[in-house]
Amino acid sequence: MAAPMNNMRMSLEDLIIRLYDVQAVKFGTFKLKSGIESPVYIDLRVIVSYPEILVRVSEYLWDASQNCSNNFKSLCGVPYTALPLATCIATKHHMPMLIRRKEAKDYGTKRMIEGHYEPGERCLVVEDVVTSGSSVLETAQALKTADIDVRDAVVLLDREQGGAQMLKSEGIHLHSVCTLSKMLDVLQTSERLSGPDIERVREFIAENKFNAMSGIKRNGSGDTHCSHKKAKKVHNYADRASLCTNPVSKQLLQIMETKKSNLAVSADLTSCGEVLELVNRVGPHVCLVKTHVDILEDFTPEFTKRLTELAQKHNFLIFEDRKFADIGSTVLNQYSGGMYRISDWANITNAHSVPGEGVIQGLKQVGLSKNRACVLIAEMSSTGNLAKGDYSSATVKMAEEHSDFVIGFICQSRLTSDPSLLHMTPGVQLTEGQDSLGQNYITPTEVITNRGSDIIIVGRGITKATDPAEAARQYQEAGYRAYLAQFE
């Protein structure tokens, strides 16, 4: 049976000590998901097993929310650690609560935000720990997509590594209960930590500060950290364009620089009219339009003519997602002939490397003279796929050996440091999750900033949106912001 709750309010100092005692805060040497070693590890999920601590933390968060200059009508906890905290606040103070889903249901309302709300209402975001602020921002973006206004966020612990500044640059004011420096002071005074341990953590914090232009790494608990290793040089789009010898990769990077966009829309609709209408609406926000021409039920050559005209109008390239996977002589004919004549209108196509180099040679024989290019499928986003490990390594080697025609990869993360090779990642939405058919979704921040990819490929997040143009704008901004975050 749980111990009865003490009615006297727990001081912040006592709360910090209790968090340490239940190992919600640990000090030592911890390898994070990013591979770097950290002297401090914070995991507040454990407090759900300590009701008294859970309640006290929620009360301090509520107190911090009273400093908000903007009147909020509801609150939303960042999934998943902050959900019980938000629930405690909501029940104690009779405050309406919203829940942000990490994935949409494939039945019912299919909503990403659960709960009752009015368009334009103001919502307070609740979080446990902030390092970069990216988790708060992702929740805020999901709320804003549902026409919910976010101006403030409350957090128990600010690690003082730049998260508050980043959120401020996005128009969100962070109100923290405690800083990591305060926590260190309390633990040193209470003799929980020694002087050398304190200095290790302070040094780590100082070396891992970042701003809106710095790189971010994510650890296993959902917290984020900047790598304290010396970062490799990140080339901007314009510099990379100057390093490319293939005219397609050069043009694509120039478009990305000019339009400030790393967004590719996957126009997977089944009628020509629907595709053309969608492309005309989202065209100003994208660098690539990806098609599956063989799913069109009313295809005629007029479709590709009009698509090419839209590409010129809105300054984007066309990527036919054909996934060639046969011997060279067969793909040569599939690429150049048939009813689709892909090589005549698609700037880029793609291929599996399973058949070996012959598939590249067959495509190259047609495409090279037409200033076309190919990307190889090195990794996939579906559950249980076999494109990984040795397969991915062999695919990279093939690309490097055919760099006159192969300009990059379909992948889940950066596979090579060669700045002339582009990395394109599908399965991107503003919130993480999985659909009913095993498609895994990851966020623009995870794809571009954390995994080092170059282009986000978005399908249903745009095609199923009520306003595809507005959705494309949001993805464009999120993707470009994630790109900027790679630079010191």
Side-chain angles (χ1 to χ4, degrees), residues 24 47-48 52 90 166 215 239 241 275 291 323 336 346 370 374-375 377 379 439:
I47 68 175
V48 296
E52 182 179 5
M166 191 277 279
D239 289 342
V275 172
T291 58
K323 296 186 178 71
S336 61
K370 295 183 176 182
C374 176
V375 295
I377 300 163
E379 296 175 322
Q439 170 67 50

Side-chain angles (χ1 to χ4, degrees), residues 295-473:
I295 70 172
L296 292 172
E297 298 172 350
D298 56 351
F299 175 82
T300 68
E302 178 67 16
F303 167 75
T304 57
K305 177 177 180 292
R306 293 180 60 190
L307 181 62
T308 302
E309 290 171 351
L310 287 174
Q312 294 172 345
K313 173 184 176 182
H314 295 299
N315 191 25
F316 61 78
L317 297 188
I318 303 170
F319 171 17
E320 167 53 24
D321 190 1
R322 176 59 177 79
K323 296 186 178 71
F324 291 101
D326 216 317
I327 62 174
S329 61
T330 300
V331 301
L332 184 154
N333 291 318
Q334 290 174 326
Y335 188 31
S336 61
M339 66 183 296
Y340 300 122
R341 307 189 68 85
I342 295 169
S343 64
D344 286 349
W345 52 271
N347 305 100
I348 301 169
T349 192
N350 58 356
H352 289 287
S353 57
V354 172
E357 294 187 27
V359 68
I360 301 174
Q361 292 165 345
L363 295 172
K364 186 195 298 189
Q365 190 170 327
V366 175
L368 198 60
S369 62
K370 295 183 176 182
N371 286 334
R372 304 307 189 197
C374 176
V375 295
L376 296 179
I377 300 163
E379 296 175 322
M380 298 184 71
S381 57
S382 53
T383 300
N385 79 83
L386 303 179
K388 58 188 69 174
D390 291 342
Y391 173 89
S392 300
S393 299
T395 302
V396 172
K397 184 177 180 182
M398 284 186 197
E400 293 172 343
E401 293 174 350
H402 295 274
S403 59
D404 57 339
F405 182 62
V406 177
I407 64 169
F409 312 97
I410 300 296
C411 57
Q412 291 297 293
S413 59
R414 178 165 293 277
L415 301 173
T416 173
S417 60
D418 186 340
S420 67
L421 290 171
L422 289 155
H423 297 71
M424 308 181 186
T425 299
V428 178
Q429 289 200 358
L430 291 177
T431 55
E432 295 178 350
Q434 184 184 86
D435 70 9
S436 61
L437 296 178
Q439 170 67 50
N440 297 308
Y441 291 106
I442 45 182
T443 65
T445 296
E446 179 65 23
V447 170
I448 302 294
T449 311
N450 299 353
R451 301 190 184 187
S453 194
D454 298 308
I455 293 173
I456 56 173
I457 301 176
V458 181
R460 281 170 282 184
I462 292 175
T463 61
K464 298 294 185 182
T466 304
D467 185 345
E470 173 59 20
R473 184 193 65 78

Side-chain angles (χ1 to χ4, degrees), residues 55 58-59 87-95:
V55 170
S58 66
E59 282 302 289
T87 302
C88 287
I89 296 171
T91 54
K92 174 67 180 293
H93 298 281
H94 306 287
M95 174 62 60

Side-chain angles (χ1 to χ4, degrees), residues 169-187:
S169 71
E170 297 292 334
I172 300 173
H173 188 187
L174 183 68
H175 307 271
S176 61
V177 172
C178 180
T179 62
L180 187 51
S181 294
K182 169 70 173 178
M183 178 174 282
L184 294 175
D185 290 340
V186 171
L187 294 176

Side-chain angles (χ1 to χ4, degrees), residues 70-361:
N70 303 291
N71 294 324
F72 53 90
K73 301 298 182 183
S74 58
L75 52 89
C76 180
V78 174
Y80 288 106
T81 308
L83 286 179
L85 295 170
T87 302
C88 287
I89 296 171
T91 54
K92 174 67 180 293
H93 298 281
H94 306 287
M95 174 62 60
M97 175 177 160
L98 304 176
I99 297 177
R100 171 203 149 198
R101 300 179 61 88
K102 279 205 168 185
E103 63 283 327
K105 297 181 294 185
D106 60 359
Y107 57 89
T109 63
K110 302 182 181 181
R111 291 166 54 160
M112 291 299 299
I113 304 297
E114 301 289 359
H116 176 77
Y117 55 87
E118 299 293 334
E121 83 171 40
R122 194 156 294 164
C123 181
L124 173 72
V125 174
V126 180
E127 178 62 304
D128 58 343
V129 180
V130 162
T131 304
S132 71
S134 62
S135 294
V136 170
L137 187 58
E138 286 174 7
T139 293
Q141 288 172 335
L143 290 165
K144 289 178 181 178
T145 300
D147 195 20
I148 300 169
D149 190 19
V150 177
R151 305 282 183 91
D152 297 275
V154 290
V155 63
L156 174 65
L157 180 67
D158 179 2
R159 290 183 58 122
E160 303 174 287
Q161 291 177 244
Q165 290 77 12
M166 191 277 279
L167 290 171
K168 184 177 180 180
S169 71
E170 297 292 334
I172 300 173
H173 188 187
L174 183 68
H175 307 271
S176 61
V177 172
C178 180
T179 62
L180 187 51
S181 294
K182 169 70 173 178
M183 178 174 282
L184 294 175
D185 290 340
V186 171
L187 294 176
Q188 185 174 30
T189 300
S190 64
E191 299 184 347
R192 260 55 173 192
L193 284 182
S194 65
D197 290 332
I198 296 290
E199 290 308 310
R200 282 183 63 215
V201 178
R202 293 194 190 282
E203 182 179 339
F204 179 82
I205 295 171
E207 291 180 354
N208 287 275
K209 287 184 180 293
F210 68 96
N211 53 41
M213 299 291 288
S214 67
I216 302 170
K217 300 291 183 183
R218 185 179 298 275
N219 74 17
S221 68
D223 197 10
T224 51
H225 299 267
C226 299
S227 172
H228 68 285
K229 296 179 180 179
K230 183 174 179 59
K232 64 181 182 297
K233 178 175 176 57
V234 180
H235 298 272
N236 61 37
Y237 296 148
D239 289 342
R240 291 178 65 182
S242 68
L243 298 172
C244 293
T245 56
N246 184 288
V248 178
S249 56
K250 182 185 290 288
Q251 183 181 5
L252 180 54
L253 283 162
Q254 289 171 341
I255 290 172
M256 292 163 69
E257 173 73 17
T258 300
K259 296 182 73 172
K260 293 182 170 51
S261 175
N262 49 37
L263 171 63
V265 64
S266 187
D268 296 338
L269 303 172
T270 57
S271 82
C272 295
E274 288 178 335
V275 172
L276 293 171
E277 180 182 0
L278 172 73
V279 170
N280 193 38
R281 295 179 68 182
V282 305
H285 306 290
V286 304
C287 63
L288 268 178
V289 166
K290 185 172 76 68
T291 58
H292 276 121
V293 70
D294 55 357
I295 70 172
L296 292 172
E297 298 172 350
D298 56 351
F299 175 82
T300 68
E302 178 67 16
F303 167 75
T304 57
K305 177 177 180 292
R306 293 180 60 190
L307 181 62
T308 302
E309 290 171 351
L310 287 174
Q312 294 172 345
K313 173 184 176 182
H314 295 299
N315 191 25
F316 61 78
L317 297 188
I318 303 170
F319 171 17
E320 167 53 24
D321 190 1
R322 176 59 177 79
K323 296 186 178 71
F324 291 101
D326 216 317
I327 62 174
S329 61
T330 300
V331 301
L332 184 154
N333 291 318
Q334 290 174 326
Y335 188 31
S336 61
M339 66 183 296
Y340 300 122
R341 307 189 68 85
I342 295 169
S343 64
D344 286 349
W345 52 271
N347 305 100
I348 301 169
T349 192
N350 58 356
H352 289 287
S353 57
V354 172
E357 294 187 27
V359 68
I360 301 174
Q361 292 165 345

